[in-house]
């Protein structure tokens, strides 16, 4: 024990503060824990293929092979024009590195069964670091409306200089360009010229390809030496392409490519665009390395950008958006609330302890415990994020509870002991077991997180660790350091009395004793009133809003806009510019409105699964909720004028995107069946059955957009008569429409495609196409039959079965009351029609989350009961103590309902922590009543003495916890909604559990003991 070694104790305190300060500066900082969803995504591009063909030729064979991967939970596949996307969800806790290798092995097996025109399947692993930490805008300062050459120079500079410098910096993994121009050499041939010289398209392609050869043919040996022999006929410039010889005429003239085609460097068909206030901008998405500090990575980038601005004065580099400032402010604000909470808890100590020096002996528990926690967090590689830091802030009042109890017990022994040293020794030893059990009771509520797993376990693991470490640290301070400080302070005599607060408190205690006696004499009305309050809280629980995370004050409003399926990227860009002008005019916003469209980030799972040429995402800056409502009204007005266009609001773009169901519709009904047309016919019947179950829902198809396609079928006899092969027709049409790729010209560090394209590409109907080949001009309609049809823009499959998804607006309350009848209706629907309906969506995810958290709460209560039963060697007394738990929940539900705060994962975690705290006050009272009653045999006196002697520590520990949380309620700074949800749930429960414990526990204890004596 350190009682006789005060210098050692002081040195331990100093060492803890020093090493904790160093660790705090080295901790990795992020907004939320990096919860990596156990998901892999397989993307396969097949340019020009229709959705049905993609589903049949790619999705079906790939899903059949991938379904055999070990640990796989579900497969969700999408087929859309030119692209296949298959999402593989694994069980939580699965080794994703091993899963990645297993999936890659399966993809190698299935590769040769896919269409030859399809690209190699790309495997993407989902991670929180996929979200960019910053978005940069690259512009030309010399040209407000840059031409193609200027845009190409900007793109090359960004690729060769900017991205390389960024990716070399510590913490930055990748920089992705969006909206860049992609150059290509276009050979725009003239059919009449080819026919005049008797040259076919196939010959042009072969000759251009042969002109770009690079091969090693062997080596020459000269005695002792060897020399490599390389044949290099590479194309070095556009002029080299123009001078490619095609044919030698009888006159000796050589026909060159420039004689039959126009060759130029031009922009290939873009796949993405980036707009800022309606103007085209080259955007750069900067991504950090996995596990890197977001704030430090961003701070590392800023000097590099300043250096590049100085070196390139004609290029504008603007930070369009970044997450580091929000994270830095949120963490800084939370650290401030931690400090303010410690100060308020310290003030409570000064008021209650009638001595100006004694509070410092207890107050030292706060900084020592906190800095020791920082040190252990650093050693355990725990991030400093809003969840882990909230756990530390929530426990700020708890850190002094153990010290208060130990100090009171030492003071009780002071009058009976010969010295303060003996009193400190006896008082600490006597209370050590009870204080330790109380601390482990609080910590035990986090133990079920180990069994729960999944998103909740991963998300709250940091919070559980930080709170547990800080409580264990405070226990060590109370049992080891506090007695030393008490001895050193009280050796110097008693300090002056402060403010006379205890006189006021004694008056309050006298009122409590009288009210307690009245309650003991009128048990029935008191208990009935409390049961009524419990029932009221149960009713309010239904009305409390439910969610995954609390709603934060918006800084941006994000929409995903979908246009009709055949909309080109150029038209999509024009719509984005029109919407930007409309929003700027309606809201008069002075900050930049950003829009990204097409295929922007092919490495990001959350973006990749919902992008397309007909879609764009627009981000509009707002000032709080009122500004967001104004923008929503403006956007709604815009789309009411264009009925074929839809806009869906998205969640905030930051670390929250890693959370499940962040952008899902409320409820999804997926009709499972091979025949989607039959499923569509049954939707009306499903809606009728749901109406009969009390759910008047309007079902709308989730992917309702259609693609218009032309289906061509060759007339074989006509082709034979004209001497034209099917491959010639295919090559002609390919070059006329999208252009046929010939080869890649290696220009310095970039590969520039060389493409054969038709001279006139302004063709809008295949019936207007006339083939000019082999000296003939043949209308396409004579060679093929043309039929126009439509098919869904996106086809969906779940677990290898085609599904048709319909979404509906359904609140959590409606689901709560009608969930069972809805499930019964779906079962009856499946029985009558043979079509199974699977239910999903955000509401289901919330219900599952609350169910898991409720299970966690139940397991926590059971563990607490086991600990208390072991401590008291009784099965009866722990039940009395646990009575405080539901009344603690009463306060949490009431305050959430009154404040309009949602019951979400964070507020539920506050209730979970409260479960461990609420029993501590009951332990103090029951332990005293049990021991006093066993010693004296007088039940009434035992209850009265417990009220007299335990009122002060109960109120004192509760007030330090409550006042320590007050700063978390203040609505200032970034991220306040997160800490507010935690603090409200915990504070509301602390108030009711303290008040009701002071009355209800003595009543139940007296009643149970009276019943036991009668029996």
């Amino acid at each position: 024990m350190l009682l006789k070694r005060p210098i050692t104790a002081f040195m331990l305190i100093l060492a803890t503060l020093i090493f904790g300060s160093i660790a705090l500066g080295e901790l990795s900082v992020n907004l939320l824990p990096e919860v990596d969803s156990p998901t892999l995504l397989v993307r396969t591009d097949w340019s020009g293929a229709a959705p049905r063909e993609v589903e049949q030729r790619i999705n079906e064979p790939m899903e059949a092979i991938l379904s055999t991967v070990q640990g796989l939970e579900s497969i969700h596949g999408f087929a859309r024009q030119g692209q296949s996307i298959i999402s593989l969800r694994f069980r939580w806790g699965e080794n994703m590195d091993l899963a990645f290798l297993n999936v890659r092995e399966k993809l190698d097996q299935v590769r040769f069964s896919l269409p030859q025109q399809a690209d190699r399947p790309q495997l993407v692993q989902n991670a929180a670091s996929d979200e960019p930490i910053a978005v940069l805008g690259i512009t030309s300062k010399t040209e407000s409306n840059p031409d193609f050459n200027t845009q190409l120079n900007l793109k090359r500079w960004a690729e060769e200089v900017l991205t390389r410098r960024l990716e070399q910096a510590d913490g930055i993994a990748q920089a992705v360009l969006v909206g860049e121009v992609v150059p290509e050499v276009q050979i725009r041939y003239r059919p009449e010229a080819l026919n005049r010289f008797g040259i076919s398209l196939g010959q042009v392609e072969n000759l251009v390809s042969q002109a770009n050869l690079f091969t090693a043919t062997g080596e020459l040996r000269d005695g002792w030496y060897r020399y490599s022999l390389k044949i290099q006929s590479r194309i070095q410039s556009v002029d080299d392409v123009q001078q490619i010889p095609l044919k030698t005429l009888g006159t000796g003239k050589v026909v060159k490519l420039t004689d039959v085609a126009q060759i130029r460097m031009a922009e290939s068909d873009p796949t993405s665009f980036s707009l800022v206030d309606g103007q085209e901008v080259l955007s750069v998405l900067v991504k950090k390395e996995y596990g890197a500090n977001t704030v430090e990575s961003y701070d590392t980038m800023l000097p590099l950008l300043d250096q590049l601005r100085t070196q390139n004065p004609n290029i504008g580099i603007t930070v369009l958006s970044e997450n580091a400032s929000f994270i830095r402010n949120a963490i800084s604000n939370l650290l401030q609330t931690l400090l303010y909470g410690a100060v308020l808890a310290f003030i409570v100590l000064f008021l209650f302890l009638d001595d100006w020096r004694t509070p410092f002996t207890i107050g030292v528990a706060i900084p020592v415990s906190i800095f020791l926690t920082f040190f252990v967090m650093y050693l355990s590689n725990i991030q400093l994020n809003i969840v882990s830091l909230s756990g530390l802030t929530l426990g700020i009042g708890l850190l002094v509870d153990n010290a208060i109890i130990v100090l009171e017990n030492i003071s009780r022994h002071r009058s009976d002991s010969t010295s303060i040293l003996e009193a400190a020794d006896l008082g600490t030893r006597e209370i050590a077991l009870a204080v330790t059990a109380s601390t482990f009771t609080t910590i035990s509520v986090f133990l079920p997180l180990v069994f729960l797993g999944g998103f909740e376990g991963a998300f709250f693991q940091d919070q559980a660790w930080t709170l547990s470490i800080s409580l264990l640290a405070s226990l060590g301070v109370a049992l080891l350091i506090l007695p030393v400080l008490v001895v050193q302070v009280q050796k110097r005599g008693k300090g002056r009395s402060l403010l006379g607060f205890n006189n006021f408190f004694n008056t309050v205690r006298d009122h409590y004793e009288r009210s307690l006696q009245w309650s003991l004499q009128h048990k029935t009305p008191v208990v009935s009133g409390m049961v009524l309050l419990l029932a009221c809280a149960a009713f309010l629980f239904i009305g409390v809003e439910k969610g995954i995370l609390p709603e934060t004050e918006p800084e941006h409003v994000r929409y995903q806009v979908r246009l009709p399926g055949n909309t080109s990227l150029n038209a999509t860009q024009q719509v984005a510019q029109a919407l930007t002008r409309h929003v700027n005019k309606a809201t008069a916003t002075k900050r930049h409105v950003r829009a990204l469209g097409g295929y922007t980030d092919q490495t990001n799972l959350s973006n990749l699964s919902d992008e397309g040429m007909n879609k764009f995402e627009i981000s509009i800056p707002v000032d709080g909720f009122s500004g967001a409502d104004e923008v929503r009204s403006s956007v709604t007005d815009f789309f009411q004028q264009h009925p074929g266009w839809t806009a869906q609001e998205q969640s905030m773009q930051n670390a929250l995107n890693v959370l499940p169901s962040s952008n899902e519709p409320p409820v999804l009904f997926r009709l499972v069946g091979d025949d989607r047309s039959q499923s569509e016919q049954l939707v009306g019947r499903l809606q009728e059955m749901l109406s009969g179950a009390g759910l008047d829902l309007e079902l709308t198809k989730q992917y309702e957009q259609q693609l218009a396609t032309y289906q061509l079928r060759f007339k074989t006899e006509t082709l034979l008569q004209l001497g034209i092969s099917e491959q010639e027709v295919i090559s002609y049409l390919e070059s006329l429409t999208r252009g046929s790729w010939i080869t890649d010209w290696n220009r310095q560090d970039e590969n520039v495609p060389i493409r054969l394209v038709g001279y006139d590409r302004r063709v809008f109907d295949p019936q207007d196409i006339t083939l000019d080949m082999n000296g003939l001009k043949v209308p396409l309609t004579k060679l093929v039959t043309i039929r126009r049809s439509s098919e869904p823009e996106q086809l969906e499959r779940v677990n290898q079965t085609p599904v048709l998804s319909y979404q509906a607006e359904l609140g959590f309350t409606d689901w709560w009351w009608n969930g069972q009848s809805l499930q019964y209706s779906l079962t009856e629907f499946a029985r009558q029609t043979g079509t199974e309906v699977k239910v999903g969506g955000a509401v289901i995810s919330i219900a599952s989350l609350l169910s898991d958290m409720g299970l966690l709460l139940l397991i926590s209560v059971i563990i607490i009961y086991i600990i208390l039963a072991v401590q008291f060697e009784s099965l009866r007394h722990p039940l009395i103590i646990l009575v405080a738990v539901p009344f603690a929940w009463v306060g949490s539900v009431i305050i959430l309902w009154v404040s309009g705060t949602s019951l979400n994962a964070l507020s539920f975690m506050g209730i979970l922590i409260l479960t461990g705290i609420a029993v501590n006050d009951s332990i103090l009272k029951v332990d005293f009543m049990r021991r006093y009653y066993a010693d004296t045999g007088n039940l009434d006196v035992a209850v009265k003495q417990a009220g007299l002697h335990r009122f002060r520590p109960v109120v004192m520990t509760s007030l330090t916890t409550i006042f320590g949380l007050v700063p978390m309620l203040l609505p200032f700074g970034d991220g306040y909604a997160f800490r507010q949800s935690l603090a409200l749930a915990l504070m509301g429960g602390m108030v009711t559990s303290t008040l009701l414990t002071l009355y209800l526990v003595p009543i139940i204890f007296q009643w149970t003991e009276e019943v036991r004596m009668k029996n």
Side-chain angles (χ1 to χ4, degrees):
M1 204 167 182
L2 298 176
L3 277 173
K4 297 180 181 180
R5 306 178 66 182
I7 295 179
T8 303
F10 288 126
M11 288 301 101
L12 286 175
I13 294 174
L14 182 62
T16 300
L17 297 178
I18 292 174
F19 285 105
S21 301
I22 296 173
L24 177 60
E26 296 296 325
L27 284 174
S28 176
V29 180
N30 218 331
L31 179 64
L32 291 174
E34 287 196 343
V35 181
D36 289 335
S37 176
T39 306
L40 296 176
L41 184 138
V42 180
R43 173 174 58 89
T44 308
D45 294 329
W46 186 9
S47 181
R52 293 192 190 279
E53 197 168 3
V54 171
E55 182 183 51
Q56 294 172 1
R57 302 282 303 279
I58 295 181
N59 283 41
E60 290 184 9
M62 286 183 65
E63 289 177 11
I65 293 293
L66 294 174
S67 63
T68 61
V69 175
Q70 184 178 2
L72 190 64
E73 187 175 81
S74 64
I75 300 180
H76 199 168
F78 296 95
R80 54 194 186 189
Q81 187 171 21
Q83 193 175 65
S84 160
I85 297 174
I86 299 175
S87 175
L88 308 172
R89 177 169 290 276
F90 292 82
R91 292 188 292 266
W92 281 93
E94 196 72 25
N95 186 333
M96 293 307 297
D97 293 333
L98 181 61
F100 188 92
L101 295 176
N102 291 337
V103 173
R104 170 56 62 198
E105 182 183 354
K106 297 296 182 183
L107 291 178
D108 290 339
Q109 295 177 12
V110 77
R111 172 70 184 94
F112 298 103
S113 64
L114 302 181
Q116 291 184 353
Q117 302 89 340
D119 294 342
R120 183 184 180 89
Q122 301 295 316
L123 184 58
V124 181
Q125 186 167 3
N126 187 31
S129 54
D130 286 338
E131 290 298 329
I133 62 172
V135 179
L136 308 180
I138 311 300
T139 56
S140 171
K141 289 185 176 181
T142 58
E143 298 182 41
S144 58
N145 190 18
D147 57 14
F148 168 71
N149 289 327
T150 303
Q151 290 179 326
L152 184 57
N153 290 333
L154 284 177
K155 179 250 186 182
R156 287 173 176 164
W157 177 84
E159 279 187 338
E160 298 171 6
V161 180
L162 176 63
T163 59
R164 294 184 182 181
R165 292 286 297 275
L166 290 176
E167 291 170 358
Q168 290 170 0
D170 291 338
I172 296 178
Q174 187 182 22
V176 180
L177 301 185
V178 178
E180 78 274 23
V181 295
V182 179
E184 68 178 12
V185 176
Q186 293 182 353
I187 303 174
R188 303 173 70 89
Y189 65 90
R190 297 188 296 273
E192 67 278 3
L194 291 176
N195 289 331
R196 185 168 66 249
F197 293 115
I199 301 172
S200 67
L201 290 178
Q203 290 175 311
V204 173
E205 292 182 1
N206 290 333
L207 290 170
V208 172
S209 179
Q210 291 173 10
N212 194 35
L213 288 177
F214 176 83
T215 180
T217 59
E219 62 182 15
L220 296 176
R221 298 190 179 188
D222 180 13
W224 291 81
Y225 304 100
R226 296 184 303 171
Y227 302 94
S228 297
L229 185 63
K230 297 188 296 184
I231 295 178
Q232 182 174 351
S233 56
R234 277 187 176 276
I235 296 172
Q236 302 296 324
S237 66
V238 175
D239 291 338
D240 294 339
V241 180
Q242 293 175 340
Q243 299 304 316
I244 293 175
L246 300 180
K247 187 176 184 179
T248 302
L249 301 179
T251 60
K253 178 184 177 181
V254 177
V255 179
K256 298 180 180 179
L257 187 58
T258 188
D259 295 328
V260 297
Q262 179 188 41
I263 297 96
R264 65 174 185 175
M265 179 82 78
E267 180 183 359
S268 65
D269 291 338
T271 59
S272 67
F273 65 81
S274 172
L275 303 175
V276 176
D277 292 331
Q279 300 297 318
E280 291 188 46
V281 171
L282 174 60
S283 291
V284 182
L285 311 182
V286 183
K287 302 184 178 184
K288 71 181 182 70
E289 295 175 352
Y290 179 79
N293 188 316
T294 301
V295 177
E296 287 184 2
S297 300
Y298 178 73
D299 291 342
T300 301
M301 181 184 71
L302 292 180
L304 284 175
L305 297 183
D306 291 336
Q307 186 179 5
L308 289 170
R309 290 188 185 102
T310 304
Q311 296 171 352
N312 304 272
N314 294 330
I315 298 177
I317 306 174
T318 308
V319 179
L320 300 177
S321 68
E322 46 90 13
N323 288 333
S325 297
F326 180 86
I327 296 172
R328 184 186 287 109
N329 293 337
I331 298 299
S332 175
N333 292 331
L334 205 48
L335 286 170
Q336 289 181 27
T337 61
L338 183 66
L339 175 62
Y340 299 153
V343 171
L344 288 176
F346 200 61
I347 291 174
V348 173
L349 295 179
F350 263 94
L351 293 176
F352 274 92
L353 299 175
D354 199 17
D355 182 356
W356 70 274
R357 286 182 302 209
T358 305
F360 286 100
T361 63
I362 297 179
V364 74
I366 296 176
V368 171
S369 301
I370 290 174
F371 280 92
L372 182 58
T373 303
F374 288 147
F375 182 66
V376 177
M377 287 173 66
Y378 175 74
L379 294 180
S380 305
N381 198 27
I382 298 174
Q383 284 186 333
L384 193 67
N385 52 59
I386 201 167
V387 175
S388 63
L389 200 52
S390 293
L392 195 55
T393 309
L394 287 172
I396 193 70
L398 299 175
L399 300 183
V400 297
D401 286 359
N402 291 332
I404 291 172
I405 296 170
V406 171
L407 178 65
E408 186 199 21
N409 212 49
I410 292 174
S411 300
R412 189 168 65 86
H413 281 275
R414 182 71 177 91
S415 58
D416 301 331
S417 303
T418 57
S419 67
I420 180 60
L421 189 65
E422 182 184 359
D425 187 23
L426 289 175
T428 304
R429 289 179 185 277
E430 182 182 69
I431 204 69
L433 182 61
V435 170
T436 303
S438 178
T439 302
F440 278 97
T441 299
T442 305
I443 294 175
S444 66
V445 299
F446 298 110
L447 185 61
L449 278 172
V450 178
F451 305 105
L452 186 63
F455 164 74
E456 300 84 3
F459 189 75
F460 291 110
Q461 192 176 52
D462 287 356
Q463 187 185 67
W465 275 113
T466 52
L467 189 53
S468 300
I469 293 168
S470 62
L471 290 178
L472 289 174
S474 72
L475 176 64
V477 170
L479 297 180
L480 299 176
I481 305 297
L482 177 67
V484 178
L485 299 178
V486 170
V487 170
Q488 297 303 313
V489 168
Q490 295 197 10
K491 274 182 179 179
R492 292 165 174 78
K494 189 172 176 63
R496 286 188 296 108
S497 177
L498 291 172
L499 303 176
F501 175 78
N502 282 303
N503 295 329
F504 167 75
F505 184 77
N506 291 335
T507 303
V508 174
R509 185 188 61 189
D510 294 338
H511 285 295
Y512 163 69
E513 289 179 11
R514 289 194 292 271
S515 61
L516 176 61
Q517 293 303 317
W518 183 90
S519 300
L520 291 171
Q521 295 170 7
H522 303 83
K523 294 185 181 67
T524 302
V526 172
V527 173
S528 299
M530 293 181 179
V531 172
L532 183 63
L533 186 63
L534 192 63
C536 178
F539 176 76
L540 292 179
F541 173 80
I542 305 299
V544 172
E545 184 182 351
K546 315 296 190 304
I548 297 289
L549 283 179
E551 183 181 5
T552 58
E553 188 169 10
E555 295 184 352
H556 293 82
V557 175
R558 294 172 57 234
Y559 280 95
Q560 187 200 55
V561 178
R562 298 186 179 191
L563 305 177
N566 291 92
T567 306
S568 66
L569 187 68
N570 183 46
T572 304
Q573 180 174 332
Q574 293 178 14
V575 173
Q577 292 170 328
L579 177 58
T580 300
R581 290 192 297 268
H582 179 84
V583 170
N584 282 332
K585 183 178 179 181
T587 61
T589 179
K590 297 181 180 179
R591 290 183 288 172
H592 297 304
V593 177
R594 295 194 305 114
L596 297 176
Y599 297 108
T600 59
D601 186 0
Q602 296 291 286
T603 63
N604 189 321
L605 177 62
S606 59
N607 292 342
L608 179 62
S609 58
D610 210 4
E611 290 184 336
M613 296 293 190
N614 63 323
K615 302 170 188 174
F616 69 90
E617 185 180 279
I618 186 168
S619 176
I620 308 164
V622 297
D623 295 317
F625 291 103
S626 59
D629 292 337
E630 185 180 4
V631 167
R632 292 186 183 104
S633 175
S634 171
V635 172
T636 302
D637 177 64
F638 179 83
F639 284 97
Q640 283 178 346
Q641 302 172 21
H642 305 87
W645 306 346
T646 60
Q648 182 179 358
E649 188 172 355
Q650 306 290 291
S651 62
M652 291 181 63
Q653 187 170 17
N654 49 35
L656 303 184
N657 286 352
V658 305
L659 301 178
S661 311
S662 56
N663 288 322
E664 281 190 355
V667 175
L668 273 175
F669 296 95
R670 292 191 173 102
L671 282 74
V672 181
D674 293 331
D675 189 348
R676 291 190 177 94
S677 59
Q678 180 182 357
S679 298
E680 190 168 5
Q681 295 173 4
L682 293 173
V683 170
R685 188 170 177 183
L686 174 62
Q687 194 160 340
E688 291 178 2
M689 296 190 71
L690 293 177
S691 299
L695 293 170
D696 190 13
L697 300 178
E698 181 179 353
L699 302 182
T700 57
K701 190 183 292 186
Q702 187 179 18
Y703 306 109
E704 58 184 350
Q705 292 162 324
Q706 297 284 316
L707 284 176
T709 60
Y710 290 99
Q711 296 184 358
L712 278 61
R713 189 177 184 86
F714 285 110
K715 298 178 180 178
T716 309
E717 294 182 0
T718 306
L719 289 174
L720 290 174
Q721 292 172 359
L722 297 175
I724 300 175
S725 68
E726 294 181 358
Q727 187 59 46
E728 286 180 314
V729 177
I730 293 173
S731 298
Y732 193 99
L733 293 178
E734 185 179 16
S735 62
L736 188 65
T737 53
R738 70 183 182 193
S740 57
W741 174 85
I742 300 177
T743 184
D744 282 332
W745 161 36
N746 188 278
R747 184 180 184 272
Q748 296 177 355
D749 287 338
E750 69 175 338
N751 288 325
V752 180
I754 299 178
R755 196 175 295 276
L756 188 67
V757 300
Y759 193 81
D760 184 7
R761 303 176 71 189
R762 294 172 296 176
V763 178
F764 306 106
D765 193 327
Q767 295 183 358
D768 299 334
I769 296 176
T770 299
L771 280 71
D772 193 346
M773 55 195 308
N774 298 342
L776 300 174
K777 288 190 176 182
V778 184
L780 181 62
T781 52
K782 286 193 175 183
L783 303 178
V784 299
T785 56
I786 302 173
R787 184 171 63 89
R788 180 166 178 164
S789 62
S790 65
E791 58 182 86
E793 177 205 13
Q794 188 158 267
L795 298 174
E796 185 180 10
R797 292 166 59 88
V798 175
N799 294 331
Q800 305 185 67
T801 307
V803 299
L804 195 62
S805 295
Y806 286 82
Q807 60 188 36
E809 294 292 332
L810 183 68
F812 181 83
T813 303
D814 293 330
W815 172 263
W816 179 274
W817 287 113
N818 301 291
Q820 289 187 347
S821 58
L822 184 145
Q823 293 289 357
Y824 174 78
S825 299
L826 296 182
T827 303
E828 185 65 19
F829 175 81
R831 188 185 65 80
Q832 295 180 9
T833 63
T835 300
E836 181 186 1
V837 180
K838 295 182 178 179
V839 187
V843 169
I844 314 302
S845 299
I846 294 172
S848 176
L849 174 67
L850 293 181
S851 175
D852 289 342
M853 297 293 279
L855 176 63
L856 177 64
L857 208 57
L858 177 62
I859 297 174
S860 299
V861 171
I862 294 173
I863 293 176
I864 291 172
Y865 178 79
I866 293 172
I867 293 175
L868 293 176
V870 172
Q871 180 185 356
F872 288 106
E873 286 293 331
S874 169
L875 299 178
R876 184 177 68 260
H877 293 139
L879 290 175
I880 300 174
I881 294 171
L882 289 177
V883 168
V885 171
F887 289 100
W889 301 341
V890 165
S892 298
V893 172
I894 291 176
I895 199 169
L896 290 177
W897 182 79
V898 170
S899 63
T901 306
S902 66
L903 180 64
N904 50 67
L906 293 176
S907 56
F908 215 124
M909 185 53 64
I911 294 175
L912 183 65
I913 298 170
L914 172 68
T915 303
I917 297 174
V919 298
N920 290 341
D921 294 341
S922 299
I923 290 174
L924 288 177
K925 292 188 73 71
V926 171
D927 183 54
F928 188 93
M929 288 186 291
R930 179 181 63 88
R931 287 190 290 107
Y932 196 94
Y933 180 47
D935 293 340
T936 64
N938 193 325
L939 181 59
D940 294 334
V941 175
V943 173
K944 182 178 180 180
Q945 289 298 316
L948 182 66
H949 293 287
R950 288 297 180 241
F951 180 72
R952 179 186 179 90
V954 166
V955 173
M956 192 173 175
T957 54
S958 297
L959 286 180
T960 53
T961 303
I962 291 171
F963 275 85
L965 294 171
V966 167
M968 295 186 72
L969 298 180
L970 302 179
F972 69 88
D974 294 327
Y976 77 87
F978 294 94
R979 61 176 186 264
Q980 214 176 44
S981 290
L982 282 161
L984 274 174
L986 186 52
M987 285 182 66
M990 282 298 298
V991 171
T992 54
S993 69
T994 301
L995 291 176
L996 297 175
T997 297
L998 290 172
Y999 292 96
L1000 188 61
V1001 170
I1003 291 174
I1004 296 179
F1005 182 86
Q1006 188 183 60
W1007 176 72
T1008 55
E1009 293 299 327
E1010 288 175 349
V1011 171
R1012 187 174 67 85
M1013 285 189 296
K1014 289 180 181 178
N1015 292 335

